[in-house]
Amino acid sequence: MPGIAAPKNQERNRGRNRDNAMEPPPADDYAKERYGLLPMIQSQEKPDRVLVRIKDLTEEKADEVVWVRGRIHTSRAKGKQCFLVLRQQQFNVQALVAVGSHASKQMVKFAANINKESIVDIEGVVRKVPQKIGGCTQQDVELHVERIYVISLEGRATVNQDTRLDNRVIDLRTSTSQAVFHLQSGICQLFRETLIGKGFVEIQTPKIISAASEGGANVFTVSYFKSSAYLAQSPQLYKQMCICADFDKVFCIGPVFRAEDSNTHRHLTEFVGLDIEMAFNYHYHEVVEEIADTMVQIFKGLQERFQTEIQTVNKQFPCEPFKFLEPTLRLEYQEALAMLREAGVEMGEEEDLSTPSEKLLGRLVKEKYDTDFYILDKYPLAVRPFYTMPDPTNPKISNSYDMFMRGEEILSGAQRVHDPQLLTERALHHGIDLEKIKSYIDSFRFGAPPHAGGGIGLERVTMLYLGLHNVRQTSMFPRDPKRLTP
Amino acid sequence: MPGIAAPKNQERNRGRNRDNAMEPPPADDYAKERYGLLPMIQSQEKPDRVLVRIKDLTEEKADEVVWVRGRIHTSRAKGKQCFLVLRQQQFNVQALVAVGSHASKQMVKFAANINKESIVDIEGVVRKVPQKIGGCTQQDVELHVERIYVISLEGRATVNQDTRLDNRVIDLRTSTSQAVFHLQSGICQLFRETLIGKGFVEIQTPKIISAASEGGANVFTVSYFKSSAYLAQSPQLYKQMCICADFDKVFCIGPVFRAEDSNTHRHLTEFVGLDIEMAFNYHYHEVVEEIADTMVQIFKGLQERFQTEIQTVNKQFPCEPFKFLEPTLRLEYQEALAMLREAGVEMGEEEDLSTPSEKLLGRLVKEKYDTDFYILDKYPLAVRPFYTMPDPTNPKISNSYDMFMRGEEILSGAQRVHDPQLLTERALHHGIDLEKIKSYIDSFRFGAPPHAGGGIGLERVTMLYLGLHNVRQTSMFPRDPKRLTP
């Protein structure tokens, strides 16, 4: 019996096996060394054995003997045979244990009794199958099992299915979840790749802050030694300070905290912000174009590199492919109002868009321009924060913008006021206590270049790109007013 | 007067200029349109003008007329001439305003009076200089100024130098700070590039958590609606849950919070963690090798891509180049003890290393092996957390490791106990209340692969790579028990 595959530590196994009906192989079984529960891997040995990935089990490997580690996805015993489906992330393969020279009756029974979700090591021969196996990603081959050892046992098999689905660890093992989060990892990477290519610098901004920069609403309080502090609602002040410190073009990816009691499909109390801030030369559209192009590069990269993931999610949640234009469509707020009014919506010039109006506008834009992604520019000044730069000619509008995917907002941004005197005027106009934002205003007293930026919600981008309907599907461990676990 | 360069909005300028002695150009000045304070850039226009980067001002551009935007770094008036040094991040160039056909006496005076740190737009001719300019990064050319306009005025010139240095925005503008944080951005990018190349997936883990996983010491409390919660001391539980959820190899970069009242050169209450967790086949050294190779790829990438930054920092903080071996040196704890004892340190077999011993060991290792980076493996079980996997043969030692740069710890890691029964035993042995870690232990009841990982402190890696002496130099906005601002 070569290598570590021998169930040598029966003492320990008995302990580990306490809650389970699996018996050690009987002494008179001719296949007794070919199956069993392995001792816990405690880094005893470093065998040379190569574990083949399930996604690499193709016709090219036909008739090779391979070792594979995977989870028992399903198992079905049928007379002298047991069919297993072995899973690794999004990929799975059929494995057959059949009574014969390698497997005894007892070994087939052992295989059939392994709890689903347990992890097993299998040695087997890759065999071409005459007919494609419909239920598996590896459709052209199956594994003929010669050895099977349990590496880690699923020990709560009596728990019902509902409880399992409530438990995120198990839910994250499904093909759909695996695909969603592999794609989300890709969004972050594409975002950074694109921005680093454009000369941006990544920054790290503090999350514990001493003052609530936007006046104190919806902010979480932290006890900080003998005093108290807040959790940052956005990295905006710090991004702007980096611009004032001449970093020129910066981005960051990090948690953003909102103590908002919103229980909707698209609000979380903690989400991941993809943030951009950039000094510009003459016009904030220089920044808008950089951000929009970054989004376009992300969409293209996802199409090119994540087709498998997109198709996997589409199987469970069918959805039209995401459409976008290049360059990105930029509509002015007043044009959007005209489109909405034509569709029967009554709205004032300086009124903000409601969520239903945003969704309707998304449909109207899709019909007219055939795009799921667009920029809405030049919002009324009245509906934007005090630090938003007013338009140079029309005091009722502002140099600000949102970006939308499938009719839902994913980014909010603006040219920021970089002049301390105008910033003071605007804060007073909004009735904000100057004392509370003193350090913010002071940041601009050392010479500040004109700049603009925006913040993107990662979970929303993932959700809307894939056409999902709840941001909790795209947050690994979502936080909302009612959920803090796992 | 073409484009936006005309100081047209004198009304606004007068307001902005309130605290400053700068006068608008007199009407009888023949150069009056060639200088002044510009109206605030509010995205009025989109001129075609190209702003050349200072680092691109080389002999190849000799005799070209260029526009440059930069900060006034220094200024020195001398008769009919004014020498300015114009700065952009780490780069600077000399600019000369001299009375002649383009510049009047008043214009030279205006230039000389601009507060340092103000941002200016300059049009000028690039001229080769007969002798290298020692104080500038662009040594072979200077700019002969034909127009100079102030874009944003430094308005607190009366504040003393100490106050300025206390103010991070100004401090971050220095060449050293610019170099430090450009290099730090590079560390993050190299970390991710390497791991994504190795098949790792980036994950996002929550920072607000419901239970303090390691028993409740040194944790910040957050008020969470009507209840309370904690700030995560590390993403470890969540990384491990991702392994249990079959993500196989994961990493994350994010803030880590420690409510520790440590006021040392290397402790922060909030720092950036570069975290890795990985399922392995047979031995945790598979993971140790991946992590060590990732560090080596970072060191190599910094050498290749960030020479300018390294040299800039070395000018202010001289230091020997960082040395490392490939593959990385791995010492066992007992070997290190023997080296320390030989050097006169008295230590027991199961005692942890003190900070001075770590530093001494770093020097001994450097002398013997000529490396600033090494792994210390197989720590005594007694000095590691309860979730550390014991060695399979010697119950006094463990499958755990630290990594060191220039004698200081930058990573701590281990094979984790993935068996819920052994985990329970270990927690009881450490006197930990099982109720408080129930959800942690339960995560391993659904079948968990053997796995190991570690967490790296970004600020420490930056500090030690560059041979700096305080982690506050490598955190943009450091947080410690006494500092929460800016």
Side-chain angles (χ1 to χ4, degrees):
Chain A
M1 180 65 232
I4 80 157
K8 41 175 100 146
N9 191 340
Q10 297 295 349
E11 193 53 41
R12 162 145 258 148
N13 282 350
R14 224 171 311 139
R16 296 175 69 213
N17 208 1
R18 195 181 287 161
D19 305 326
N20 191 272
M22 301 186 82
E23 293 296 324
D28 62 349
D29 178 2
Y30 66 88
K32 65 175 182 289
E33 297 215 314
R34 298 188 162 270
Y35 66 100
L37 202 61
L38 279 201
M40 178 170 64
I41 292 185
Q42 206 175 345
S43 302
Q44 295 91 330
E45 296 173 49
K46 295 181 175 180
D48 280 336
R49 181 184 305 160
V50 172
L51 296 177
V52 175
R53 303 293 298 174
I54 285 179
K55 67 168 181 233
D56 297 329
L57 293 176
T58 58
E59 285 183 321
E60 285 167 28
K61 287 223 159 31
D63 305 324
E64 282 181 33
V65 176
V66 296
W67 277 95
V68 175
R69 178 171 297 175
R71 289 202 187 265
I72 302 289
H73 186 58
T74 64
S75 96
R76 182 168 51 95
K78 200 177 163 184
K80 293 181 169 178
Q81 296 187 321
C82 171
F83 289 92
L84 303 171
V85 172
L86 212 62
R87 191 184 77 231
Q88 235 170 27
Q89 301 186 327
Q90 305 167 57
F91 306 96
N92 49 36
V93 68
Q94 179 164 283
L96 171 63
V97 198
V99 173
S101 60
H102 290 102
S104 60
K105 206 172 56 187
Q106 294 93 328
M107 177 168 157
V108 173
K109 190 178 160 205
F110 172 87
N113 280 339
I114 303 171
N115 290 341
K116 276 185 269 181
E117 297 298 315
S118 296
I119 302 173
V120 296
D121 274 9
I122 281 179
E123 188 187 39
V125 185
V126 181
R127 295 285 188 209
K128 273 202 262 193
V129 288
Q131 222 176 344
K132 278 186 191 292
I133 302 169
C136 291
T137 58
Q138 310 314 103
Q139 306 203 325
D140 303 320
V141 296
E142 63 180 10
L143 263 182
H144 288 202
V145 177
E146 303 192 343
R147 297 175 195 272
I148 179 165
Y149 304 104
V150 175
I151 290 291
S152 184
L153 195 65
E154 204 289 335
R156 306 218 299 199
T158 52
V159 170
N160 73 39
Q161 191 66 15
D162 276 345
T163 311
R164 283 194 186 207
L165 289 176
D166 278 347
N167 189 300
R168 196 57 165 153
V169 166
I170 294 174
D171 189 39
L172 286 175
R173 289 179 192 160
T174 62
S175 307
T176 301
S177 294
Q178 287 285 328
V180 165
F181 291 102
H182 276 82
L183 181 132
Q184 187 167 75
S185 170
I187 292 174
C188 293
Q189 186 59 9
L190 287 159
F191 177 77
R192 287 182 302 245
E193 254 180 50
T194 307
L195 291 172
I196 287 172
K198 289 174 184 290
F200 279 71
V201 179
E202 180 174 8
I203 58 168
Q204 307 290 341
T205 68
K207 304 308 165 198
I208 304 182
I209 57 175
S210 61
S213 53
E214 295 192 31
N218 300 334
V219 66
F220 288 114
T221 308
V222 186
S223 52
Y224 197 78
F225 299 99
K226 283 168 188 161
S227 158
S228 74
Y230 305 99
L231 289 182
Q233 289 165 295
S234 93
Q236 194 184 317
L237 166 58
Y238 293 93
K239 289 189 302 179
Q240 292 191 259
M241 285 170 78
C242 288
I243 297 301
C244 294
D246 292 354
F247 282 91
D248 206 32
K249 299 169 164 192
V250 299
F251 73 89
C252 54
I253 297 187
V256 168
F257 305 94
R258 302 277 164 92
E260 213 174 317
D261 197 3
S262 299
N263 295 278
T264 78
H265 78 286
R266 62 180 192 153
H267 285 89
L268 294 170
T269 51
E270 178 180 344
F271 64 90
V272 177
L274 309 181
D275 271 272
I276 292 177
E277 202 74 25
M278 173 181 155
F280 63 81
N281 293 337
Y282 304 109
H283 201 292
Y284 75 96
H285 282 173
E286 298 163 34
V287 181
V288 175
E289 281 155 24
E290 288 284 55
I291 299 176
D293 181 62
T294 302
M295 294 306 300
V296 166
Q297 299 312 320
I298 291 173
F299 302 147
K300 284 179 160 179
L302 292 178
Q303 273 182 350
E304 283 160 22
R305 303 185 204 168
F306 291 88
Q307 261 321 313
T308 312
E309 282 74 11
I310 294 167
Q311 283 166 19
T312 300
V313 177
N314 277 349
K315 262 182 224 161
Q316 193 179 348
F317 300 102
C319 157
E320 283 177 34
F322 189 82
K323 288 199 164 179
F324 57 94
L325 303 174
E326 220 184 331
T328 302
L329 173 68
R330 187 177 60 81
L331 283 182
E332 296 214 350
Y333 199 80
Q334 292 304 321
E335 294 172 71
L337 281 195
M339 285 170 76
L340 284 170
R341 284 178 185 141
E342 203 174 305
V345 178
E346 287 178 27
M347 272 185 69
E349 296 288 314
E350 291 185 74
E351 203 178 315
D352 204 357
L353 292 174
S354 65
T355 306
S357 296
E358 286 181 352
K359 287 198 173 172
L360 171 59
L361 184 60
R363 288 194 297 274
L364 298 172
V365 168
K366 179 76 181 271
E367 275 168 31
K368 187 164 174 185
Y369 300 99
D370 199 29
T371 178
D372 289 308
F373 177 62
Y374 72 99
I375 305 159
L376 196 53
D377 194 17
K378 308 242 68 127
Y379 271 69
L381 183 60
V383 305
R384 307 296 277 199
F386 73 97
Y387 47 73
T388 308
M389 181 64 87
D391 180 85
T393 55
N394 181 345
K396 293 199 165 177
I397 65 178
S398 67
N399 293 350
S400 68
Y401 41 89
D402 279 6
M403 296 190 188
F404 292 86
M405 287 173 65
R406 300 197 202 260
E408 297 195 39
E409 181 248 309
I410 56 122
L411 170 139
S412 198
Q415 177 178 357
R416 327 292 188 182
V417 177
H418 60 284
D419 180 89
Q421 187 180 329
L422 180 59
L423 195 56
T424 306
E425 284 165 22
R426 295 297 307 153
L428 286 174
H429 181 84
H430 277 252
I432 290 170
D433 182 354
L434 289 182
E435 217 24 67
K436 286 192 175 164
I437 55 164
K438 185 173 179 303
S439 72
Y440 179 68
I441 295 181
D442 283 347
S443 316
F444 304 100
R445 294 196 196 278
F446 305 103
H451 61 287
I456 299 162
L458 173 62
E459 294 84 353
R460 286 194 187 176
V461 173
T462 315
M463 169 178 81
L464 294 164
Y465 184 83
L466 290 170
L468 299 174
H469 298 290
N470 195 310
V471 87
R472 289 163 189 79
Q473 292 174 288
T474 58
S475 171
M476 273 198 175
F477 304 99
R479 297 292 183 251
D480 65 33
K482 290 170 185 149
R483 176 179 286 280
L484 257 180
T485 53
Chain B
M1 180 65 233
I4 79 156
K8 38 176 102 147
N9 190 341
Q10 297 295 348
E11 193 54 41
R12 161 145 258 148
N13 283 349
R14 224 171 311 139
R16 295 174 72 214
N17 206 4
R18 196 181 286 161
D19 305 325
N20 192 273
M22 301 187 81
E23 293 296 323
D28 62 349
D29 178 2
Y30 65 89
K32 67 175 182 289
E33 299 216 314
R34 298 187 162 270
Y35 65 101
L37 203 60
L38 279 201
M40 178 171 64
I41 292 185
Q42 206 174 345
S43 302
Q44 295 91 330
E45 295 173 50
K46 296 180 173 179
D48 280 335
R49 180 184 306 161
V50 173
L51 296 177
V52 175
R53 304 293 298 174
I54 285 178
K55 67 169 180 232
D56 298 328
L57 293 177
T58 57
E59 286 183 320
E60 284 167 29
K61 287 223 159 30
D63 305 324
E64 282 181 32
V65 177
V66 296
W67 278 95
V68 175
R69 179 170 296 175
R71 290 202 187 265
I72 302 288
H73 186 58
T74 62
S75 96
R76 181 168 52 95
K78 200 178 164 183
K80 294 182 170 177
Q81 295 187 321
C82 171
F83 289 92
L84 303 171
V85 172
L86 212 62
R87 192 185 76 231
Q88 234 170 28
Q89 301 186 326
Q90 305 166 57
F91 305 96
N92 49 37
V93 68
Q94 179 163 284
L96 171 63
V97 198
V99 173
S101 59
H102 290 102
S104 60
K105 207 173 56 190
Q106 295 93 326
M107 178 167 156
V108 173
K109 191 176 159 207
F110 172 88
N113 280 339
I114 303 170
N115 290 341
K116 277 185 267 181
E117 296 297 315
S118 296
I119 302 173
V120 296
D121 274 10
I122 281 178
E123 187 187 40
V125 186
V126 181
R127 296 286 188 209
K128 273 202 263 194
V129 288
Q131 221 176 343
K132 279 186 191 291
I133 301 169
C136 291
T137 58
Q138 308 315 104
Q139 307 202 327
D140 303 320
V141 297
E142 65 181 7
L143 264 182
H144 289 203
V145 178
E146 302 192 342
R147 298 174 194 271
I148 179 165
Y149 305 104
V150 175
I151 290 292
S152 183
L153 195 63
E154 204 290 335
R156 306 216 301 198
T158 52
V159 170
N160 74 39
Q161 191 67 13
D162 277 346
T163 312
R164 283 195 186 208
L165 290 175
D166 279 346
N167 190 300
R168 196 57 164 152
V169 166
I170 293 174
D171 189 40
L172 287 174
R173 289 180 192 160
T174 61
S175 308
T176 301
S177 294
Q178 287 285 327
V180 165
F181 292 103
H182 276 82
L183 181 132
Q184 186 167 75
S185 170
I187 292 174
C188 293
Q189 185 59 9
L190 287 160
F191 177 78
R192 287 182 303 244
E193 255 180 50
T194 307
L195 291 172
I196 287 172
K198 290 173 183 289
F200 280 72
V201 179
E202 180 174 8
I203 58 169
Q204 307 289 342
T205 68
K207 304 308 164 197
I208 305 183
I209 56 174
S210 60
S213 52
E214 296 193 29
N218 301 333
V219 65
F220 288 114
T221 308
V222 186
S223 52
Y224 196 78
F225 300 99
K226 284 167 188 161
S227 158
S228 74
Y230 304 99
L231 289 182
Q233 288 165 293
S234 94
Q236 193 184 317
L237 166 59
Y238 293 93
K239 290 189 300 179
Q240 292 192 259
M241 285 171 77
C242 288
I243 296 302
C244 294
D246 292 353
F247 282 91
D248 206 33
K249 298 169 165 194
V250 299
F251 72 89
C252 55
I253 296 187
V256 168
F257 305 94
R258 303 275 164 93
E260 214 174 317
D261 197 3
S262 299
N263 295 278
T264 78
H265 78 286
R266 62 181 192 152
H267 285 88
L268 294 170
T269 51
E270 178 180 344
F271 63 89
V272 177
L274 310 180
D275 271 272
I276 292 178
E277 202 73 26
M278 174 181 153
F280 63 80
N281 293 336
Y282 304 109
H283 201 292
Y284 75 96
H285 282 173
E286 297 163 34
V287 181
V288 175
E289 281 155 23
E290 287 284 56
I291 299 176
D293 181 62
T294 302
M295 293 307 300
V296 165
Q297 298 312 319
I298 292 173
F299 302 147
K300 284 179 161 178
L302 293 178
Q303 274 182 350
E304 282 160 24
R305 303 185 203 167
F306 291 88
Q307 261 322 312
T308 312
E309 282 74 11
I310 294 167
Q311 283 166 20
T312 301
V313 177
N314 277 350
K315 263 182 224 160
Q316 193 178 348
F317 300 102
C319 156
E320 284 178 32
F322 189 83
K323 288 200 165 179
F324 57 94
L325 303 174
E326 220 184 331
T328 302
L329 173 68
R330 187 176 61 80
L331 283 181
E332 297 213 349
Y333 199 80
Q334 293 303 322
E335 293 172 70
L337 282 196
M339 285 170 76
L340 284 170
R341 283 177 186 142
E342 202 174 308
V345 179
E346 286 178 27
M347 272 185 69
E349 296 288 313
E350 292 185 72
E351 204 179 314
D352 205 356
L353 292 175
S354 65
T355 305
S357 295
E358 285 180 354
K359 287 197 173 174
L360 171 58
L361 185 60
R363 287 195 296 276
L364 298 173
V365 168
K366 179 75 181 271
E367 274 168 32
K368 186 164 174 185
Y369 300 99
D370 198 30
T371 178
D372 290 308
F373 176 62
Y374 72 99
I375 305 159
L376 197 53
D377 194 19
K378 309 242 67 128
Y379 271 69
L381 182 60
V383 303
R384 307 296 278 199
F386 73 96
Y387 46 74
T388 308
M389 181 64 88
D391 180 85
T393 55
N394 181 344
K396 292 199 166 178
I397 65 177
S398 67
N399 294 349
S400 69
Y401 41 90
D402 279 6
M403 296 190 188
F404 291 86
M405 286 173 65
R406 300 197 201 261
E408 297 195 40
E409 181 248 310
I410 57 121
L411 170 139
S412 198
Q415 176 178 358
R416 326 292 188 182
V417 177
H418 60 283
D419 180 88
Q421 187 181 330
L422 179 59
L423 195 56
T424 306
E425 284 165 23
R426 295 298 307 153
L428 286 173
H429 180 84
H430 277 252
I432 291 171
D433 181 354
L434 289 183
E435 218 21 69
K436 285 191 177 164
I437 55 164
K438 184 173 180 303
S439 72
Y440 180 67
I441 294 182
D442 284 347
S443 315
F444 303 101
R445 294 196 195 278
F446 305 104
H451 61 287
I456 299 163
L458 174 62
E459 294 84 354
R460 287 194 186 174
V461 173
T462 315
M463 168 178 82
L464 294 164
Y465 184 82
L466 290 169
L468 299 174
H469 298 290
N470 195 311
V471 87
R472 288 162 190 79
Q473 292 174 287
T474 58
S475 171
M476 273 199 175
F477 303 100
R479 297 292 182 252
D480 65 34
K482 290 170 185 150
R483 176 177 286 279
L484 256 181
T485 53

